[in-house]
Amino acid sequence: MSQINIIENPSELGAGTRGASLGIGALQVVARQRKDDFFGKYERFLVQDQNDMLDFPTVYPFAKRIDGLAEVYQNTVDIVDFVVKQNNFPLVLSGDHSCAAGTIAGLKRAYPTKRLGVIWVDAHADLHTPYTTPSGNVHGMPLSVVLGLNNHECASNVPNPNVVDMWEELKLIGGSSPKIEINDLVFVSVRDTESPEDELIRRYGIRNFEVPEVREKGTDIVFQEIKNKLKDCDLIYVSFDVDSMDSILVSKGTGTPVENGLTPEEAESLMIQFATWDKCCCIEIVEINPCLDNKVNRMAEVAFDILSKCVNTLEKRL
Ligand SMILES: [Mn+2]
């Protein structure tokens, strides 16, 4: 019988504001305040971060600290692969969302022949590339890494040849590229995008369950529709960026807070249902930033509630 393993990846190299590396600690504070043994009862693995690179300027403005991210991804791949090969379930707690491309690379290494579907619960589409990024922050690019996209059609930047090489290498970490098919990606709650991303969403017809649709149909129907959309996938990875939730209802304790998001109840209901799905092989939660929280540690409290209920559901299933 398989067990949950916690993988902690505190990398925040991809974020534009500082503090996402403290998100895991913020969750731990909540667990301890509630005398919940969440962090004590599962085996835990720590990804080696490269956050000391943040003490120096980056020389790659269109993919900031991409050199350090390659190392983080390699380490993530090894750990995810190890956990899966022990027949355990990787529950990944990460800093910024760039970490997710390393997790997906690890899943692909562990399951090279399986068709992997991705449910991306996020305010953002994370479909930028070094050619299109307005900020250079790689947490806006992880889906392009795993989809193998460049989006030259919408290019506004000319990254230097070193970055081009590193970007192509990043896509190959974990074995092959692309790691997922674009039809096997579903967005939930994406509502803050830029035109190069909108163009990709249009070009490929990426399905986005926007907040009004989730509210109107209800989370049960949305889950059934997602299941149907991804029915040909063998395995499903769920990436939960806490900025998918409404920044007014929850808090601003995340790198890029956005209003008009999911309620905590909607997010929880969806995440629990994803956890019931036998194809769900990995769940990751990202972008909790206690340094930015305008309500003390509220984002971590809400995220911990969701995480605990997901874990209860997983335990019944595994
Ligand atoms: Mn994100």
Side-chain angles (χ1 to χ4, degrees):
M1 181 175 145
S2 92
Q3 290 176 348
I4 293 165
N5 283 177
I6 296 176
I7 299 174
E8 300 178 11
N9 182 357
S11 175
E12 62 164 87
L13 286 186
T17 49
R18 303 280 59 88
S21 59
L22 305 177
I24 302 160
L27 288 168
Q28 204 162 32
V29 166
V30 177
R32 289 173 181 167
Q33 283 169 333
R34 296 184 183 174
K35 305 202 185 325
D36 186 309
D37 63 354
F38 179 85
F39 283 91
K41 68 180 164 186
Y42 302 116
E43 191 167 357
R44 288 159 61 193
F45 297 85
L46 180 64
V47 175
Q48 176 66 54
D49 70 60
Q50 302 293 331
N51 290 335
D52 286 352
M53 289 180 77
L54 293 162
D55 300 318
F56 305 94
T58 177
V59 293
Y60 306 117
F62 300 129
K64 293 174 180 169
R65 297 168 182 100
I66 189 172
D67 41 347
L69 269 168
E71 290 185 52
V72 173
Y73 285 7
Q74 286 289 0
N75 193 217
T76 309
V77 167
D78 292 341
I79 294 175
V80 170
D81 184 47
F82 178 81
V83 166
V84 170
K85 292 207 169 126
Q86 303 287 305
N87 195 31
N88 289 328
F89 183 98
L91 181 70
V92 188
L93 314 178
S94 290
D96 77 66
H97 217 166
S98 65
C99 296
T103 309
I104 292 170
L107 293 171
K108 206 59 200 168
R109 161 76 60 81
Y111 302 109
T113 61
K114 300 283 190 194
R115 183 165 163 184
L116 185 64
V118 172
I119 305 174
W120 198 263
V121 187
D122 197 335
H124 307 96
D126 294 353
L127 280 169
H128 273 297
T129 73
Y131 305 95
T132 67
T133 175
S135 70
N137 299 324
V138 182
H139 74 165
M141 311 183 194
L143 280 171
S144 294
V145 174
V146 297
L147 291 163
L149 298 176
N150 288 326
N151 198 8
H152 287 299
E153 295 86 340
C154 301
S156 54
N157 308 325
V158 183
N160 78 34
N162 280 340
V163 168
V164 170
D165 288 347
M166 282 188 280
W167 174 249
E168 295 306 321
E169 281 164 26
L170 213 56
K171 293 176 186 171
L172 287 166
I173 290 175
S176 54
S177 176
K179 299 197 169 58
I180 58 168
E181 295 173 31
I182 206 150
N183 280 323
D184 296 339
L185 165 67
V186 166
F187 284 138
V188 179
S189 190
V190 170
R191 61 194 183 282
D192 184 19
T193 54
E194 278 124 356
S195 58
E197 298 177 300
D198 293 333
E199 174 51 32
L200 285 174
I201 293 168
R202 258 195 309 273
R203 194 186 307 156
Y204 295 109
I206 302 172
R207 181 69 163 100
N208 178 17
F209 289 86
E210 293 182 61
V211 175
E213 183 178 359
V214 174
R215 202 148 295 155
E216 194 187 318
K217 289 183 172 170
T219 52
D220 294 11
I221 287 172
V222 168
F223 175 55
Q224 290 309 322
E225 291 189 10
I226 291 173
K227 258 180 124 166
N228 191 44
K229 164 87 180 133
L230 300 178
K231 64 179 185 305
D232 295 329
C233 296
D234 303 309
L235 294 168
I236 303 294
Y237 157 79
V238 180
S239 215
F240 180 61
D241 187 324
V242 297
D243 68 26
S244 59
M245 295 187 289
D246 190 289
S247 63
I248 306 242
L249 283 176
V250 183
S251 86
K252 293 187 175 173
T254 184
T256 37
V258 186
E259 295 178 17
N260 300 314
L262 298 172
T263 66
E265 294 76 18
E266 287 163 343
E268 181 178 293
S269 171
L270 284 170
M271 292 301 289
I272 289 171
Q273 294 190 75
F274 299 150
T276 62
W277 193 1
D278 55 0
K279 288 184 179 180
C280 173
C281 70
C282 177
I283 292 174
E284 180 160 12
I285 182 162
V286 303
E287 297 281 0
I288 299 164
N289 187 334
C291 297
L292 302 174
D293 204 313
N294 56 326
K295 299 179 185 171
V296 189
N297 201 23
R298 170 115 169 101
M299 184 61 87
E301 288 166 1
V302 170
F304 187 76
D305 282 335
I306 294 172
L307 207 52
S308 312
K309 297 210 171 119
C310 264
V311 160
N312 288 340
T313 306
L314 284 172
E315 280 194 325
K316 283 180 215 145
R317 194 193 76 178
L318 296 174

